[in-house]
Amino acid sequence: MTSAPSSVGTRARVASVLVGLLVAALPAAPVAASPGTGSAAAQAESAARHRPVPPHVVGDHTVPAYSYADAIRESVWVQTRADSDGDGVRDRVAVDLVRPREAAAAGVRVPVIMDASPYYLCCGRGNESELKTYDAAGVIAKAPLFYDNYFVPRGYAFLAVDLAGTARSTGCEDVGGPAEVGSATAVIDWLNGRARAFTADGRPVSAAWSTGQVGMIGKSWDGSVANGVAATGVPGLATIVPISAISSWYDYMRYQGVLRSTDYPGFLHSYVNGRDDDACADTLARLRADSAEETGDHNRFWAQRDYRPSADRVRASVFVAHGLNDLNVTTNQFAGWWQELADEGVPRKLWLYQAGHEDPFDVRRAEWVAALHRWFDYWLQGLRNGVMDEPRVDLETAAGVWTTQRDWPAPGTRDVRIALGGGDGVTGTLGGRGARPGQERAYVDESLTEAELVAEPSTATAGRLVFLSGALTTALRISGSPSVRLRIRVDRPTTELTARLVDYGTAERVQYGSSEGVRTLDTESCWGASTDADDACYRDTEEITEVSDHAVLTRGWLDAAHHRSLRLRTPLLPDRWYTVTVPLNAYDAVLPAGHVLGLMLGQSDPEFTETNDRDATVRVDLGRSELILPIAGRAGLPVIDDAPPVRTAPADPSAARTARDTRQVP
C-alpha cells in the first residue's frame, strides 16, 4: 500500500482554487490596487467581502432563486484545435446550454456544470435513456438528467456537450483519445476566453456570462471523458465527478493482455458515430489497426488513453462514485485512479456502493443530490460549507447499510500473504500449515462458466483448483486490491489464467447481474424545476436483494505470456517454471464469522473474455504460490490443515460454455 500524502499539498490546491473562485466572481472591470494593499489573494478576499451577495446564495449554500422556465437556452458550436476527420477544417463540437436569465440581466456571472457525452442523440442518458430534444429553431429544449433542472435555478449554467464525431458535432470519435478529450477541453477553453464558438448561422458568441469555473460530471463514458480532461490540467476545470468511469481504456478492453472481446474500439466508435460512414472511415481503420488486437499488447495507442500517469497534472478536485459489483467498468478503474490522485495530494471524495454499473442517483437518491449540491457549492461557488472537513469515503457495506470512513482502502489495511495448501487432494486450503515447495496440483482448461467454477467447492471438478479457508472465527474485512502469486508450469506457449475470490455463507445480498442490482418502480420523485418540454421527475428505484449461499467478490485475469510486461508477449517454455501474478479487481467487503473464503483458479473464461489460447494444462507449485489479501484490522484467516466441506446449490447444467460477444457500452 502507498502511504497517504501530506495534507500540505491538498491545502495548497484547495487554497488556490478558492482564490481563483474569488477572483472569478469579481466584476469584469479591473480593480486598481493601492500601494501596500497586500497580495492578490488578500485583494481578492477583500473584494469578495464587499461585493453584493447574489440572490442564489444564502449563507453557505445556494438556493433556487431563478426561474427555470425562463432560463436562457442556447446551442453553440465550439471550435477545437483538431481536424480529426481530415477535411481541412477544425472540428466544431455542439454545446447545448441552459443558464439563469435573471443572473445574466443583473451581470452576475455563474459557474458551469458540464456533461460531455457521446450518447445524447444515439442512445440516451440515465436510467430512463433520455435524449436531447430541440425546438423548431434547433435550440435545446430538453437536456437529459436532472442537473439543469436542479442547479440552474441555484445559480449555475448547465452544458450538455456532444463529443467530436457524435450527434451534431463534426470531427470523428476516437474512443478515449486526443480528439475526444480535446473536444471537451475546448469547451472549457471557450468558457475562459481561449477558444472561439459560433451560432448555427456562423455568428461568433462569447461566454462572458461565465466565471470560467467548470465542474464536469457524468456516468460511464461521460465520466471517463471527465477523467481524461482533468488529466490535461486545463485551467478552469475546478472539479470532476466521474461515476462508474474509465481511467485506463486498455484495462477496460484488455484484462492484463486478455482480450475482453474482438473489435472493441471499432464497435464503440460505430455505436456512437454521428457522421456519415465515409467521413470517419480513416479513423475507424486506425482504431482497428493501432489497438494491437492480434497481440493484446499495451502500446502508444493505449498509453494515449491511460489517464493515470497524468495525475500529477490534475488541478481539479475529484468526487468518485463506483459500484463495487460493476462488471462493465470494473473496480480497478476507480482504484488505480484514486491511488494516483492520492499520491499527488488531489482533493477527493469517494462513494462506493453494492450495485453494479449504476449511478448513485438510482441507489441513494436524496443523499446523492444533497452531496452533489454541497460539493459543487464548495468547488464552483466558493462557499465554505465544510464538505472537505467530512469523512472522505461513503461506503455501502450491505444493501441499504451505509457508513463513512477517513479514506480508502480502509485505514489500517495491510497486505497479508496467505499460503495455498494441498488439503484433501480435491479441495486445497487457504492459510494451511501444509503448504510446502514441490507440492503440485494440476488442472486443465475446460472453459468453465463462473457458476461451474465456484459451485460446490468440496466436489472435484475438472478445469479448476479450489482453496478454502476455515470457518471464520471473527468477521474479516477485505479492503483494496487482492492478487494471486503463482508458480506455474504450462504445456502451451500461453494460456489465460483466471482467479476469483468467493464468500461462502448464507446472506442477503444485492443481486447485481443483468439488472445491475437496481429495480425501477412505478412511482416517481422530482428533483428541480420543470417545463412542459423538460420535467425534473424520475421513476424511483430500489436495490434488488436475494438470500444466497455464496457470492463472487472479485475477479482477475491474465494472459500468461504477458506475465513480464503488458507491452510484449513472452511465450512460455513447457519445461520451465514461471512466477506470475494475477491481479484481482479492487473490492471492499466484510465476511461475517462462520463464513468461508474461497479462491478459485481457472483458465479460459468465455463469459467475460475472448481468447484462442485454450486446452492448456497448468501445474501449480503450491508451496511457492500465495494469495495476497488486503485485510483491515487484526482479524485474519484461521490456520487449518484440511479444507472444510462447503455445500452450495449446484450450477445450472444448461449454462452455455461457448464463447459469446462480451462487449458492453461504457
Side-chain angles (χ1 to χ4, degrees):
M1 286 179 55
T2 304
S3 59
S6 165
S7 62
V8 174
T10 298
R11 288 196 298 267
R13 289 173 186 259
V14 172
S16 175
V17 169
L18 291 179
V19 168
L21 286 167
L22 292 170
V23 172
L26 294 177
V31 178
S34 302
T37 56
S39 68
Q43 293 176 44
E45 291 205 33
S46 175
R49 285 195 299 270
H50 291 91
R51 78 178 190 273
V53 176
H56 61 271
V57 174
V58 175
D60 64 357
H61 62 282
T62 58
V63 297
Y66 306 121
S67 169
Y68 179 71
D70 293 334
I72 297 171
R73 290 170 170 79
E74 299 174 288
S75 297
V76 304
W77 280 259
V78 172
Q79 181 173 281
T80 79
R81 298 179 181 180
D83 174 17
S84 61
D85 55 10
D87 65 354
V89 179
R90 288 187 184 183
D91 301 343
R92 291 189 179 185
V93 293
V95 179
D96 296 310
L97 63 94
V98 187
R99 57 189 176 94
R101 185 177 301 275
E102 300 93 332
V108 175
R109 293 188 289 175
V110 296
V112 166
I113 296 170
M114 179 172 120
D115 187 345
S117 176
Y119 291 133
Y120 280 127
L121 287 186
C122 75
C123 322
R125 303 309 299 131
N127 187 45
E128 299 177 30
S129 300
E130 291 186 304
L131 299 171
K132 287 181 178 178
T133 64
Y134 297 91
D135 64 17
V139 174
I140 186 71
K142 174 184 176 65
L145 307 175
F146 74 99
Y147 304 134
D148 56 326
N149 309 81
Y150 187 86
F151 285 105
V152 168
R154 289 170 166 82
Y156 293 84
F158 175 70
L159 273 61
V161 179
D162 297 330
L163 296 174
T166 71
R168 301 201 295 174
S169 295
T170 65
C172 293
E173 172 55 65
D174 61 352
V175 189
E180 174 183 297
V181 172
S183 65
T185 304
V187 179
I188 298 174
D189 285 337
W190 171 62
L191 293 167
N192 285 274
R194 300 187 297 266
R196 303 176 69 195
F198 305 88
T199 60
D201 58 5
R203 290 178 291 109
V205 58
S206 77
W209 48 265
S210 169
T211 65
Q213 298 296 299
V214 181
M216 291 187 69
I217 189 171
K219 178 196 167 189
S220 202
W221 199 333
D222 305 13
S224 310
V225 177
N227 284 337
V229 174
T232 70
V234 59
L237 182 62
T239 191
I240 63 171
V241 184
I243 303 165
S244 303
I246 296 164
S247 59
S248 164
W249 282 87
Y250 179 89
D251 287 350
Y252 180 71
M253 299 187 195
R254 308 281 187 271
Y255 293 145
Q256 299 293 301
V258 181
L259 266 65
R260 186 167 179 172
S261 196
T262 57
D263 195 30
Y264 218 146
F267 163 75
L268 290 178
H269 165 90
S270 300
Y271 192 81
V272 301
N273 180 38
R275 307 291 307 283
D276 293 337
D277 290 342
D278 291 344
C280 294
D282 288 346
T283 296
L284 180 58
R286 286 194 300 271
L287 288 173
R288 287 172 168 159
D290 295 347
S291 60
E293 183 169 294
E294 69 281 1
T295 65
D297 290 349
H298 189 287
N299 57 17
R300 184 175 179 272
F301 173 90
W302 296 110
Q304 285 183 321
R305 291 158 174 81
D306 184 355
Y307 311 133
R308 298 170 197 164
S310 298
D312 60 341
R313 303 181 65 184
V314 174
R315 303 185 185 193
S317 62
V318 182
F319 187 170
V320 174
H322 213 106
L324 284 165
N325 293 301
D326 193 336
L327 301 183
N328 183 337
V329 179
T330 52
T331 52
N332 61 334
Q333 296 290 344
F334 92 79
W337 185 229
W338 179 262
Q339 187 58 64
E340 294 290 345
L341 297 172
D343 290 345
E344 298 299 331
V346 173
R348 63 202 185 282
K349 187 173 177 63
L350 175 65
W351 270 38
L352 295 175
Y353 36 94
Q354 292 291 315
H357 193 61
E358 282 292 341
D359 191 313
F361 184 75
D362 296 317
V363 174
R364 196 189 186 200
R365 184 167 296 181
E367 293 84 355
W368 175 246
V369 174
L372 279 185
H373 186 180
R374 298 184 70 237
W375 185 262
F376 285 142
D377 276 1
Y378 182 89
W379 287 105
L380 298 180
Q381 300 279 0
L383 301 179
R384 298 179 181 271
N385 54 23
V387 71
M388 296 306 293
D389 300 324
E390 299 170 354
R392 185 171 282 152
V393 178
D394 278 47
L395 172 67
E396 187 183 22
T397 59
V401 180
W402 288 80
T403 187
T404 60
Q405 59 190 41
R406 286 191 294 110
D407 211 337
W408 192 89
T413 297
R414 70 199 191 283
D415 283 340
V416 177
R417 297 178 179 273
I418 301 167
L420 309 186
D424 61 7
V426 172
T427 305
T429 59
L430 286 177
R433 285 185 283 253
R436 59 188 183 277
Q439 184 182 23
E440 297 179 19
R441 294 279 301 279
Y443 66 112
V444 296
D445 184 2
E446 294 287 348
S447 296
L448 299 178
T449 66
E450 181 168 274
E452 292 171 327
L453 190 70
V454 305
E456 301 183 280
S458 299
T459 301
T461 299
R464 71 179 186 184
L465 293 184
V466 179
F467 303 90
L468 299 178
S469 75
L472 300 176
T473 54
T474 59
L476 175 70
R477 170 78 182 279
I478 300 170
S479 183
S481 299
S483 61
V484 185
R485 183 176 177 270
L486 299 173
R487 185 72 171 167
I488 62 170
R489 189 167 64 184
V490 184
D491 67 349
R492 297 284 190 275
T494 191
T495 187
E496 180 179 354
L497 299 172
T498 67
R500 284 166 170 81
L501 284 182
V502 186
D503 172 14
Y504 290 104
T506 300
E508 184 177 12
R509 299 178 170 100
V510 172
Q511 297 303 301
Y512 57 84
S514 59
S515 66
E516 307 294 353
V518 169
R519 176 187 296 112
T520 302
L521 305 177
D522 293 332
T523 60
E524 67 177 20
S525 54
C526 303
W527 303 88
S530 299
T531 65
D532 290 341
D534 190 344
D535 72 81
C537 303
Y538 295 86
R539 292 176 66 184
D540 297 319
T541 56
E542 65 179 8
E543 289 180 306
I544 303 170
T545 65
E546 181 179 283
V547 175
S548 58
D549 56 23
H550 71 283
V552 177
L553 302 177
T554 181
R555 305 155 178 84
W557 303 267
L558 171 71
D559 170 38
H562 280 94
H563 72 280
R564 289 184 179 174
S565 171
L566 295 177
R567 298 180 184 276
L568 187 67
R569 292 185 118 201
T570 306
L572 307 181
L573 300 176
D575 59 346
R576 183 172 297 180
W577 286 93
Y578 296 86
T579 298
V580 305
T581 298
V582 182
L584 279 72
N585 286 319
Y587 208 72
D588 202 293
V590 177
L591 279 66
H595 283 213
V596 171
L597 179 67
L599 169 66
M600 324 299 283
L601 301 181
Q603 293 184 55
S604 58
D605 194 355
E607 288 181 293
F608 289 83
T609 63
E610 186 168 311
T611 179
N612 293 322
D613 299 311
R614 297 185 178 180
D615 303 322
T617 297
V618 175
R619 303 192 70 84
V620 180
D621 185 338
L622 302 184
R624 292 186 171 93
S625 301
E626 59 190 357
L627 168 66
I628 303 169
L629 195 64
I631 294 178
R634 296 183 178 181
L637 295 181
V639 176
I640 59 173
D641 293 315
D642 294 306
V646 173
R647 304 283 181 246
T648 69
D652 181 357
S654 65
R657 298 173 67 177
T658 57
R660 62 185 179 85
D661 189 346
T662 60
R663 294 175 298 192
Q664 300 185 69
V665 178

